[in-house]
Amino acid sequence: MRSYLCTLMISVLAVGCATTDSRPPATDQQGLAEIRVNASPLLAATITDVTVEAAGLSQDLTFNPATGTFDGALILPSGTQSVVASAYSGETLVGRSQPTTVEVTTGVVTRVVLRILDLTPDPAPIYGPILDSLSYPTTTQVGASAVFAVSVVAPAGDPVTYDWTSDCQDATFSAPQAATTGWSKPAQGTCTINVAATSSGFTVAQSFVIVVFPAGSASGAVEVSSTFITAPFVVLSLPDLNCTILPGGNASCPATIASPATSNYQASVINWGASMPGTLELSDNCGGRFGTFSQMPGSAVGAWLPPVAGGLCLLSARAVNGDGLAATISAAVLSHAGSPPTAQPPQIFANFDTGCMLRSSGAPADCGPVPASRPLSLFGNVAWADGIPDSVTITDDCAISQPIADNLLFFHASWNLINAAGRICTTTVRATNLQGTSSEVAAHYQLIAP
């Protein structure tokens, strides 16, 4: 239930027996309650009047535009009183507070916060029309009557009006404001027919094309539609070089770089040109290296390591959509001569779903017998130390198709094994960082009859 938070300031004062104003005579057992209500939330809810009741007395509060409040006063008997505020929109009661207890004490100022609860019911839902079906012929002949019919559902049973129109000025409808109508044209041509159905102030519309042939004609027609395919729209960003390259913009990066420093990059295909997604590839012309942390059909994120010798490098992102249209965006990066990058070898931890762990030194771990033709799964992770991730590759000489690691940090891969009982198989995991340092773990197992 909605509520309006209203603050009532009640000032309780001692009042003598004599009075010179229009208020009721006061006694020693009465206090004066001066009430002020913040008008802002009430006016926002189109409330025009606020009334406060206490001790059998009622007072209409008056809107004060200077203060933005509803103001008023009540003479209340001293002691415990219950205050209720009511809100009206015109003559309609739209909100009322819960009774709030107020202790009226001579000479004490009491502030009361009331929440006027919205009593108006939720508005009834309005249901627009729903187009159920539309039937029509795609061709007709000169002078012949074609029948069009539309079926519309009005959920609340409200009346539905119809309007059939055509872009062929010489065509006529037999009943243009009915659900079913006849239509004819005295000359050959192609016409677009529109039908609109309106109910409860909402309209649904549909259109179609009909071809009118000469009477007795043996001709046919072809309905042609086309889509304009554009090249992909590619953006290349190198945030560490203060560089974001857009098509048609400045393609030179203002910052320079030297090995062994790297720059993060992100290549994104904003749209594929009304075509299916295709490929996204990165390259440079100076012998630098790209390490890809993650890649999806429309984006690639990773780091770029410049060549040790330096030079002016053009970094390019090339996208090819499903229709073979390609777009390339390039960034010019000035790299200075630097020093060769160094990094500790990555550490690989991997094990089969059988529980056998691959070994990183000496002979491969012996994982024993594995049934042929079964799926085999591998789980693992790589600790890259001070290196930047570049690639994780998995090879198995008994796999029907080579497995692919799904991540450079925590990876998983599954593959099916060939049916060759007695064969010794070897699985190898190799991790290479962007600095060119690699490490491997391996294991072998023997296939047995499934």
Side-chain angles (χ1 to χ4, degrees):
M1 177 177 286
R2 297 178 294 274
S3 63
Y4 314 100
L5 183 62
C6 304
T7 302
L8 305 187
M9 179 184 293
I10 301 180
S11 302
V12 184
L13 308 174
V15 181
C17 293
T19 180
T20 58
D21 60 17
S22 60
R23 299 185 181 96
T27 71
D28 292 339
Q29 303 301 316
Q30 291 179 321
L32 175 64
E34 294 183 349
I35 301 172
R36 172 169 290 185
V37 180
N38 181 9
S40 300
L42 301 176
L43 295 177
T46 68
I47 291 173
T48 57
D49 299 286
V50 178
T51 299
V52 178
E53 301 175 35
L57 302 174
S58 177
Q59 173 68 49
D60 290 332
L61 304 186
T62 302
F63 175 61
N64 184 344
T67 60
T69 57
F70 283 97
D71 301 336
L74 277 175
I75 297 295
L76 296 178
S78 61
T80 302
Q81 305 294 343
S82 180
V83 179
V84 175
S86 301
Y88 296 85
S89 179
E91 299 296 324
T92 304
L93 175 67
V94 296
R96 175 164 287 166
S97 71
Q98 298 291 344
T100 300
T101 300
V102 178
E103 192 67 32
V104 178
T105 305
T106 301
V108 176
V109 176
T110 304
R111 286 179 178 164
V112 181
V113 176
L114 296 182
R115 297 178 68 87
I116 300 180
L117 304 181
D118 186 357
L119 303 179
T120 57
D122 291 332
I126 302 175
Y127 299 104
I130 302 172
L131 194 149
D132 183 30
S133 64
L134 175 64
S135 62
Y136 58 91
T138 57
T139 64
T140 187
Q141 294 189 358
V142 169
S145 178
V147 177
F148 309 147
V150 63
S151 175
V152 173
V153 176
D158 296 319
V160 180
T161 60
Y162 302 92
D163 184 29
W164 295 89
T165 59
S166 169
D167 65 348
C168 291
Q169 300 301 317
D170 58 344
T172 58
F173 291 93
S174 62
Q177 272 71 52
T180 300
T181 184
W183 179 86
S184 62
K185 188 176 184 299
Q188 69 179 37
T190 300
C191 303
T192 298
I193 309 299
N194 301 285
V195 59
T198 302
S199 179
S200 302
F202 298 96
T203 299
V204 291
Q206 189 64 272
S207 63
F208 57 89
V209 174
I210 186 170
V211 179
V212 181
F213 293 110
S217 172
S219 302
V222 176
E223 184 176 341
V224 179
S225 62
S226 62
T227 301
F228 183 66
I229 308 297
T230 61
F233 186 96
V234 190
V235 174
L236 178 59
S237 176
L238 299 158
D240 298 319
L241 300 174
N242 301 323
C243 196
T244 296
I245 309 301
L246 300 172
N250 184 359
S252 295
C253 295
T256 61
I257 191 171
S259 177
T262 61
S263 173
N264 290 330
Y265 73 82
Q266 180 172 356
S268 302
V269 181
I270 304 303
N271 69 68
W272 290 96
S275 180
M276 294 295 292
T279 59
L280 177 62
E281 299 175 342
L282 289 120
S283 62
D284 67 25
N285 68 341
C286 61
R289 295 185 59 193
F290 286 90
T292 301
F293 304 156
S294 66
Q295 183 154 7
M296 295 182 291
S299 67
V301 177
W304 176 72
L305 174 68
V308 175
L312 180 61
C313 296
L314 297 181
L315 282 62
S316 299
R318 184 175 188 267
V320 182
N321 65 22
D323 287 276
L325 294 179
T328 301
I329 191 164
S330 298
V333 177
L334 181 60
S335 64
H336 297 291
S339 57
T342 59
Q344 301 176 57
Q347 290 183 287
I348 309 171
F349 307 90
N351 59 274
F352 290 120
D353 56 353
T354 61
C356 182
M357 180 172 289
L358 282 67
R359 193 157 55 197
S360 60
S361 62
D366 184 358
C367 291
V370 174
S373 302
R374 66 156 276 180
L376 188 63
S377 292
L378 184 73
F379 302 86
N381 68 281
V382 181
W384 294 96
D386 57 348
I388 295 176
D390 183 16
S391 65
V392 174
T393 59
I394 304 171
T395 58
D396 188 297
D397 53 14
C398 290
I400 293 177
S401 59
Q402 289 303 310
I404 299 175
D406 60 351
N407 194 283
L408 297 183
L409 297 177
F410 298 91
F411 61 85
H412 165 254
S414 295
W415 62 96
N416 292 317
L417 300 175
I418 60 175
N419 188 1
R423 180 169 171 175
I424 303 296
C425 309
T426 302
T427 302
T428 303
V429 179
R430 181 180 180 87
T432 304
N433 58 34
L434 193 60
Q435 288 80 3
T437 307
S438 300
S439 59
E440 291 184 352
V441 295
H444 60 239
Y445 56 91
Q446 184 175 19
L447 293 178
I448 61 174

